[in-house]
Amino acid sequence: QLLLAESGGGSVQAGGSLRLSCAVSGDIHPSYCFGWFRQAPGKEREGVAALNFGSSSTFYAPFVQGRFTISLDNAKKTLYLQMSSLKPEDTAKYYCAGEPTGSPSTILSPRFYNYWGQGTQVAVSS
């Protein structure tokens, strides 16, 4: 059982930066995968970035590659998403998610995850 809670959203101008945090409650094992997802109004939820805790492998959607960085501080049990060079099209509600197992083929798919936070809003103005 995982409980996740996001924080750190807000409003920023294009080109700015934000760091999202996700506090994780529950035991974390090497097989666990964690991800960040976003959903804009009228659009489907999409994968942004994800990592496998055991291998430290990270995965990014093409539209954030080079701008966003996902990381996990195991001691603090906190997942982060550092977002830089933000664009208006990055405006969405951002969610963190976790799942006890995963593979590279599913790790960025929202359907793969069963444990979700409540989301935090990010608004980027031009």
Side-chain angles (χ1 to χ4, degrees):
Q1 179 88 15
L2 292 176
L3 295 176
L4 304 107
E6 304 92 338
S7 61
S11 298
V12 64
Q13 287 191 327
S17 299
L18 280 175
R19 189 177 78 162
L20 305 183
S21 300
C22 174
V24 181
S25 299
D27 292 333
I28 300 176
H29 300 286
S31 64
Y32 276 46
C33 295
F34 294 94
W36 286 97
F37 300 82
R38 69 187 188 186
Q39 188 167 17
K43 295 189 176 181
E44 292 189 355
R45 192 169 297 187
E46 60 184 359
V48 174
L51 63 78
N52 177 282
F53 174 56
S55 67
S56 299
S57 298
T58 56
F59 303 82
Y60 294 94
F63 50 80
V64 301
Q65 189 81 38
R67 300 190 297 125
F68 291 9
T69 302
I70 187 173
S71 61
L72 176 65
D73 186 328
N74 187 36
K76 295 182 179 180
K77 299 182 75 172
T78 301
L79 183 73
Y80 299 101
L81 183 68
Q82 178 67 48
M83 305 186 293
S84 302
S85 302
L86 283 161
K87 304 175 182 180
E89 51 263 44
D90 294 318
T91 295
K93 193 165 188 179
Y94 284 71
Y95 299 85
C96 63
E99 186 62 27
T101 61
S103 70
S105 63
T106 60
I107 200 168
L108 280 173
S109 172
R111 302 178 190 177
F112 164 73
Y113 291 82
N114 287 299
Y115 300 98
W116 291 87
Q118 80 287 351
T120 186
Q121 185 67 42
V122 171
V124 184
S125 59
S126 57

